[in-house]
Amino acid sequence: MEKLKFAELGLSPEILKAVDKMGFEEASPIQTAVIPTILEGRDVIGQSSTGSGKTAAFAIPAIEKVDTQVRKVQVLILCPTRELAVQVAEEVGKLSLFKRGLQATPIYGGQSYDRQFRALESGVQVVIGTPGRVMDHMERGTLKLDALKLVILDEADRMLDMGFRDDIEKILSAVPEERQLLFFSATMPPAIQSLIKRFTRNPAWIKVESSAQNAPKVDQVYFEVDRRSKLEVLTRLIDLYDFRFGIIFCSTKIMVDELDEHLHARGYAVDRLHGDITQTQRNRVMEKFRRRGFEFLIATDVAARGLDVDDLEVVFNFDLPNDAEDYTHRVGRTGRAGKEGRAFTFVSGRELYKLQGMVRFAKIKIRRENVPSLDQVEEARENVFFEKLRTTLQEAKFKKQDRIIDRLLEQGYASTDICSALLHMMQQGGGDKPDAAPAAKAAPVKALPAAAAPARPTHSHEPDAGSFKKAAYREEAPPRRAEPLKEASTHDDDRPRASKQKYERPGRTGKEAGYTTIFVNVGRKELITPGDIVGKIAGVTRLPANIVGAVDIHQRHALVDVISEHAELVITRLAGIRVKGETLKPAIATEANRTTE
């Protein structure tokens, strides 16, 4: 089914801004089909399951229809379970972020009545609830529906299976006659059809079926991972299986940029793709990726659509995709041409319910595993090193070092101690190792067998902090850091600020000899500091912070001196990155833009 960009669906600027902040660039098939029809005011019957992206399909037009000047309930969304009600409420909150005055609240059994009473009395316009608790509030008189415009039944078949038919009929009978009714259901049993016939008027029937096929050659695994631990788990899996070539998918452009920075800082050779990157840059990145100029491509779904890359070892779903179709498109990028591939998906909290919906919707075969322990990673690293050392000995393609060995033996050192010391030096990356480079170029040992069982469940234990340094490094990649970064989250609000103190620069206009001044389109208005700018440059270019000279911050822009030989690289790498919510558009400073405010 056709997909459109959200900007083509006739939505308000507030909704488009919220969607952009969430990082979504394109509507899913059901969103493309349903949103315009709901906005027209028709009743809609949507046959679609969890995992197809239907929550945003009804939440977006529902938010559009709310009159924020009216402090009464205008939208009622019925869900079968408290978990789904909370999930829908969270989605509504994100999508209504920029619509001032809109309030939404979930009401369900097991939550404090007092809290729900206060929320309903405050004048909420959107209520998301389970049928039993909604009926309870209606009977108490605490939920009044006289101003109701829109009623939505999410997963209607499940609500009937759970015995809510009588409650649903009472609720629908009590709402105003002039209202819009939406049914969303994976199946259409006679009981659902009876409700549709009784309560809807000339409804539009929209059925979305998954066209994606499960990838038979791809071993699909998911891990329950706390959001703050995703980075640690990602690097642990890469090092455990010694992956060298793959794609890491994120749901937002912001997440792509930040993960790119963090993996660069840890010494992984990565690059990025998303909708804000120019076509010229995209072509350059893809050309380099096809010839294996770096290890991992970090991308959003839209940026990666249509990529033709062979021999991918692995696909990581760092963020769960928006719908099942995007999931299978992602996973299908590995395991091609009869070869086997791997796909790892990270889920946190209530995302597990979304993944289960995708499994049902697209008939995905995916199993749960636990995060591998540090002992397993260490063992895998030793196995990789052992196999490379054994291969080097068997091939006998190494320079003899008899003179040095004889000198050590003459001084009384045991041969086993000499070997252990050399292995220690190589594994720690120390000493001058003239023959280390050829060993590093040896063909990589393939992934460990799936029987390597994880040691503990991820939902009850945080991954340990520890070393992820590999036994041998790629020539293109800088040495991977032996200790992980301290930050637990890759989100702006949680990022540590202490590191910026060492990056302070004098606030003076550039033009120093040997330096080029770069214009950057963020300034005091965005609360930018010199540390923000220098840290961002160091993160995306992998160059030392001392390539940056003066940093002069104005109200709406900043002027940054960088060593001239690095100016072009800095401009290229900064272009398209988001800082404090703004997309960077760096350029060589001119007399005109130096004085722009």
Side-chain angles (χ1 to χ4, degrees):
M1 183 176 287
E2 181 186 10
K3 288 186 176 184
L4 296 176
K5 292 187 178 296
F6 282 101
E8 301 175 84
L9 298 178
L11 302 175
S12 66
E14 293 82 7
I15 288 290
L16 292 177
K17 188 175 180 181
V19 168
D20 182 66
K21 182 177 177 63
M22 293 170 70
F24 299 133
E25 302 172 282
E26 189 177 59
S28 69
I30 191 169
Q31 292 162 1
T32 299
V34 165
I35 290 175
T37 308
I38 299 175
L39 291 175
E40 290 174 4
R42 292 190 62 183
D43 290 355
V44 171
I45 312 302
Q47 189 167 353
S48 172
S49 176
T50 302
S52 60
K54 63 176 172 54
T55 302
F58 62 71
I60 288 174
I63 293 167
E64 294 280 40
K65 287 178 174 290
V66 170
D67 181 354
T68 55
Q69 301 302 314
V70 178
R71 311 300 299 176
K72 294 183 176 182
V73 177
Q74 300 169 48
V75 176
L76 176 63
I77 304 173
L78 296 177
C79 303
T81 64
R82 68 184 67 180
E83 292 82 10
L84 183 57
V86 171
Q87 181 180 320
V88 171
E90 290 174 350
E91 189 86 353
V92 170
K94 294 175 184 177
L95 290 168
S96 62
L97 182 63
F98 298 101
K99 185 158 184 174
R100 292 181 178 274
L102 188 144
Q103 293 187 30
T105 188
I107 57 174
Y108 51 85
Q111 188 187 46
S112 165
Y113 271 103
D114 288 339
R115 180 178 299 170
Q116 294 177 5
F117 290 154
R118 289 194 300 269
L120 293 171
E121 288 172 1
S122 69
V124 297
Q125 295 105 344
V126 181
V127 170
I128 307 102
T130 52
R133 184 56 66 99
V134 168
M135 271 295 303
D136 194 353
H137 280 286
M138 290 173 62
E139 291 171 353
R140 291 170 180 262
T142 51
L143 175 59
K144 297 179 174 61
L145 303 177
D146 53 296
L148 199 65
K149 298 179 180 179
L150 182 61
V151 183
I152 303 165
L153 277 70
D154 189 13
E155 299 197 10
D157 52 350
R158 287 185 64 191
M159 283 193 280
L160 265 61
D161 290 342
M162 295 170 68
F164 287 128
R165 176 165 183 165
D166 290 343
D167 288 344
I168 291 172
E169 289 186 349
K170 290 179 182 178
I171 293 170
L172 294 181
S173 299
V175 301
E177 188 174 344
E178 293 301 319
R179 44 83 187 120
Q180 192 175 354
L181 181 58
L182 314 179
F183 275 85
F184 284 88
S185 182
T187 60
M188 289 294 167
I192 295 287
Q193 295 183 35
S194 174
L195 288 176
I196 292 171
K197 185 176 180 180
R198 179 178 172 186
F199 292 103
T200 62
R201 293 165 298 205
N202 187 29
W205 289 73
I206 298 173
K207 184 176 182 180
V208 176
E209 295 179 341
S210 174
S211 59
Q213 298 295 320
N214 191 47
K217 291 286 186 179
V218 180
D219 181 27
Q220 300 175 58
V221 175
Y222 77 90
F223 300 90
E224 289 185 63
V225 181
D226 184 271
R227 176 180 61 83
R228 295 166 296 179
S229 302
K230 285 185 178 181
L231 180 61
E232 307 298 337
V233 175
L234 174 67
T235 54
R236 187 172 295 187
L237 289 169
I238 290 174
D239 289 343
L240 174 65
Y241 294 102
D242 195 34
F243 290 128
R244 303 296 183 99
F245 195 48
I247 298 180
I248 304 170
F249 283 102
C250 300
S251 62
T252 68
K253 294 174 283 188
I254 297 172
M255 193 66 249
V256 167
D257 289 337
E258 296 203 351
L259 185 58
D260 174 71
E261 290 182 40
H262 286 300
L263 289 178
H264 266 140
R266 292 185 179 220
Y268 294 87
V270 299
D271 214 323
R272 63 197 171 91
L273 277 186
H274 56 61
D276 286 348
I277 294 176
T278 65
Q279 189 60 46
T280 301
Q281 290 175 299
R282 291 176 64 165
N283 293 341
R284 175 186 59 80
V285 170
M286 284 312 305
E287 181 183 355
K288 188 175 181 181
F289 188 52
R290 289 190 180 97
R291 58 181 172 84
R292 296 201 178 201
F294 55 92
E295 300 172 305
F296 296 99
L297 178 68
I298 310 170
T300 59
D301 291 297
V302 171
R305 189 158 293 136
L307 294 184
D308 185 18
V309 182
D310 295 327
D311 299 327
L312 287 179
E313 295 177 312
V314 64
V315 165
F316 286 99
N317 292 310
F318 194 82
D319 296 320
L320 200 62
N322 193 34
D323 56 64
E325 189 168 6
D326 281 339
Y327 173 86
T328 48
H329 282 162
R330 290 181 179 186
V331 170
R333 302 196 178 280
T334 184
R336 292 184 172 184
K339 297 181 180 179
E340 293 186 358
R342 287 179 177 270
F344 295 120
T345 299
F346 299 159
V347 295
S348 58
R350 298 186 186 92
E351 288 181 339
L352 182 59
Y353 298 104
K354 185 177 180 181
L355 178 65
Q356 291 170 345
M358 291 182 183
V359 170
R360 292 193 301 268
F361 182 68
K363 298 180 176 61
I364 298 166
K365 294 181 179 178
I366 182 171
R367 72 179 186 279
R368 180 188 180 279
E369 284 192 2
N370 300 317
V371 174
S373 67
L374 282 175
D375 289 340
Q376 287 179 279
V377 176
E378 183 66 28
E379 182 182 355
R381 192 164 60 228
E382 289 179 0
N383 289 340
V384 170
F385 184 78
F386 173 82
E387 289 298 327
K388 289 179 178 178
L389 180 59
R390 186 173 61 84
T391 300
T392 302
L393 290 169
Q394 287 179 339
E395 295 178 349
K397 294 180 180 179
F398 55 88
K399 182 181 178 181
K400 298 288 186 179
Q401 304 289 341
D402 294 346
R403 186 174 63 85
I404 295 177
I405 294 173
D406 287 342
R407 287 177 60 188
L408 292 168
L409 290 172
E410 288 172 0
Q411 294 182 22
Y413 294 104
S415 58
T416 53
D417 289 342
I418 295 171
C419 291
S420 295
L422 288 170
L423 292 174
H424 174 78
M425 290 171 61
M426 293 180 69
Q427 288 179 317
Q428 295 298 318
D432 294 323
K433 306 183 294 297
D435 296 324
K441 295 179 183 178
V445 178
K446 300 312 292 179
L448 297 180
R456 64 183 187 270
T458 61
H459 63 274
S460 59
H461 292 78
E462 291 279 325
D464 300 324
S467 170
F468 294 100
K469 187 177 69 174
K470 299 183 72 66
Y473 304 117
R474 284 59 134 188
E475 282 192 321
E476 289 102 343
R480 296 180 176 178
R481 292 180 60 145
E483 294 184 3
L485 299 178
K486 297 298 182 184
E487 61 266 22
S489 171
T490 51
H491 291 272
D492 277 338
D493 292 341
D494 300 324
R495 294 176 69 185
R497 305 298 181 191
S499 62
K500 293 179 181 177
Q501 295 174 0
K502 63 184 179 183
Y503 289 139
E504 292 299 329
R505 293 293 189 273
R508 51 189 171 82
T509 306
K511 295 189 175 179
E512 293 182 62
Y515 283 78
T516 297
T517 303
I518 295 175
F519 171 89
V520 185
N521 59 309
V522 290
R524 287 193 296 269
K525 182 174 180 292
E526 290 79 20
L527 304 179
I528 289 296
T529 67
D532 290 320
I533 294 175
V534 180
K536 188 67 68 173
I537 290 174
V540 301
T541 64
R542 291 171 286 168
L543 296 172
N546 60 15
I547 70 160
V548 182
V551 177
D552 193 10
I553 298 181
H554 297 251
Q555 182 65 18
R556 300 178 187 276
H557 73 276
L559 299 173
V560 186
D561 279 0
V562 300
I563 293 176
S564 296
E565 65 180 284
H566 301 305
E568 184 178 349
L569 174 64
V570 170
I571 290 173
T572 300
R573 297 293 293 175
L574 284 182
I577 284 182
R578 292 178 70 91
V579 175
K580 301 294 179 72
E582 293 294 324
T583 301
L584 295 187
K585 300 175 182 177
I588 298 295
T590 64
E591 289 304 319
N593 61 27
R594 279 176 182 270
T595 57
T596 300
E597 279 296 347

